[in-house]
Amino acid sequence: MGTVWRVKLAEVDQQRATELRQLIQQQLNDDDLELSTWKTDSVLSRFNQYQGNQPQKISANMADIITLALRIGRKTDGAMDITVGPLVNLWGFGPGKSPVSPPNQAQIDRARAQTGLQHLQVIETVAGQYLQKDVPTLSVDLSTMGEGFATDHLARLMESEGINNYLVSVGGAVLTRGHNVGGAAWRVAIQKPTDRENAVQAVVDLQGHGISTSGSYRNYYEQNGQRVSHVIDPNSGRPVQHKLVSATVIATTALEADGWDTGLMVMGPDKAKALALKEKLAVYLIVKQEDGFSSWMSPQFNAFIRR
Ligand code: FAD
């Protein structure tokens, strides 16, 4: 998935660890082959290549992810939009080539015309789940939620293997359950918004929940002296420009946390705060100020903080 996975277990011997490593890698490979837009032969890429409006059969897993993505998309007024792929590619953050100069308005308008959550629907039938688009060139990009899904999936694998004390993580999504090797609750750090890794901003005890961060401070490039973020505002068709540098969400699943964090990141600090309070989400925001950074957390997030 273009990223790293990490599984920490409280008590397993070397042989068991080797067995589990194989199961984990196999499952992640399978998830990648289903959800990747970077692999042209993945299930999702085949749906994207299909240029028709007939319902296409998808797995229950993919139906769950897309159904949740559409729900969060509606709640964020379209800020979280899994059809945003053409714009992501246009700005050089997808599998396509990076642009040498910023795209012009006509290119942005053309890409935007191929996006929109209203053009996509999941159909549940007794015979299974189907995905349908009414714009032939519409494509689905699950980059923003795939890591959360894969993290939950690893947690389910641990449970099915009879393991109850674990920390699982894919990319920026993490889920913990039980305790670490020292018998203490797992603690997860939120990084400071710098290019330097491992500077700690806050520490949380997830208590069986998932956490995910969306940020504009790592995945970006500079063009004409301006930072170009990989988070795209589907409304303008351009990378976000406001002062919110990261949004961290804790939710009952890593998938849900991973969906909300991008939506909030697109919305900017004021709208993100208002939505977090309205939806009673556990949210931690870091905002760029003239002389450094400020942070804000919702009451629900405060309950997870360890001081
Ligand atoms: P998040 O903030 O969670 O998501 C941002 C990403 O979501 C952007 O990079 C963009 O792709 C998309 N996005 C931007 N704006 C929006 C919006 N408004 N609404 C919704 N989505 C938006 N990367 C590689 O380099 N090589 C690979 O082979 C590769 N394979 C992958 C396979 C899978 C199954 C998945 C899920 C991802 C893969 N990736 C790959 C992408 C990579 O691992 C990260 O998922 C991606 O860089 C962004 O994740 P994030 O958590 O950093 O950012």
Side-chain angles (χ1 to χ4, degrees):
M1 294 189 185
T3 188
V4 294
W5 62 266
R6 188 170 289 124
V7 172
K8 289 176 180 254
L9 305 174
E11 45 307 277
V12 285
D13 60 26
Q14 206 48 47
Q15 190 192 338
R16 184 80 172 117
T18 306
E19 283 165 19
L20 287 169
R21 194 173 287 120
Q22 279 172 2
L23 289 175
I24 289 165
Q25 193 57 61
Q26 184 57 52
Q27 181 170 291
L28 287 168
N29 291 351
D30 292 347
D31 289 346
D32 193 35
L33 258 187
E34 185 166 18
L35 305 175
S36 179
T37 39
W38 300 74
K39 287 199 163 59
T40 49
D41 56 345
S42 74
V43 178
L44 188 59
S45 288
R46 288 206 298 275
F47 173 81
N48 290 341
Q49 286 149 17
Y50 167 69
Q51 303 217 338
N53 58 8
Q54 292 304 307
Q56 301 293 301
K57 190 115 170 57
I58 52 170
S59 67
N61 281 339
M62 200 185 295
D64 285 349
I65 303 173
I66 295 177
T67 302
L68 181 62
L70 294 177
R71 184 165 71 78
I72 295 177
R74 278 192 296 275
K75 296 234 178 204
T76 58
D77 277 337
M80 213 293 276
D81 184 344
I82 53 167
T83 70
V84 82
L87 289 163
V88 172
N89 289 338
L90 190 64
W91 286 96
F93 293 103
K97 289 205 176 85
S98 299
V100 263
S101 55
N104 59 38
Q105 193 58 46
Q107 289 172 301
I108 293 173
D109 291 343
R110 265 200 305 280
R112 272 197 72 214
Q114 298 170 45
T115 67
L117 293 174
Q118 71 278 17
H119 300 301
L120 187 69
Q121 64 167 324
V122 176
I123 304 164
E124 293 274 350
T125 74
V126 283
Q129 297 79 16
Y130 296 81
L131 190 60
Q132 188 174 29
K133 51 184 167 182
D134 63 20
V135 169
T137 51
L138 192 88
S139 62
V140 176
D141 175 3
L142 294 179
S143 288
T144 192
M145 289 178 79
E147 293 173 355
F149 169 78
T151 299
D152 291 342
H153 205 184
L154 285 184
R156 290 200 293 276
L157 176 64
M158 294 305 117
E159 298 286 338
S160 71
E161 290 295 315
I163 296 166
N164 310 119
N165 297 303
Y166 53 80
L167 178 153
V168 291
S169 163
V170 179
V174 182
L175 190 145
T176 67
R177 187 170 167 217
H179 58 78
N180 64 19
V181 74
W186 299 101
R187 288 179 171 215
V188 175
I190 299 167
Q191 290 177 343
K192 281 201 160 100
T194 61
D195 295 332
R196 193 163 57 87
E197 290 206 10
N198 299 332
V200 173
Q201 173 87 21
V203 176
V204 291
D205 170 4
L206 291 177
Q207 304 159 32
H209 290 66
I211 188 168
S212 176
T213 297
S214 178
S216 61
Y217 54 95
R218 285 265 159 75
N219 197 350
Y220 66 88
Y221 59 88
E222 296 207 358
Q223 207 164 48
N224 307 333
Q226 287 251 315
R227 277 192 174 201
V228 181
S229 161
H230 69 135
V231 179
I232 310 289
D233 182 346
N235 245 321
S236 64
R238 292 169 183 276
V240 294
Q241 291 263 302
H242 50 61
K243 297 211 174 318
L244 181 58
V245 287
S246 86
T248 298
V249 179
I250 299 177
T252 48
T253 63
L255 176 65
E256 179 142 8
D258 208 4
W260 281 112
D261 66 1
T262 309
L264 297 171
M265 189 59 218
V266 173
M267 293 172 92
D270 298 336
K271 286 185 181 168
K273 276 182 203 173
L275 188 65
L277 293 173
K278 181 173 168 226
E279 295 290 331
K280 299 188 170 42
L281 303 173
V283 173
Y284 189 96
L285 305 176
I286 301 178
V287 183
K288 177 95 183 82
Q289 304 293 351
E290 302 256 303
D291 53 348
F293 297 95
S294 66
S295 62
W296 175 89
M297 72 179 98
S298 66
Q300 288 76 13
F301 197 95
N302 195 22
F304 292 96
I305 289 276
R306 288 296 160 265
R307 294 183 169 87

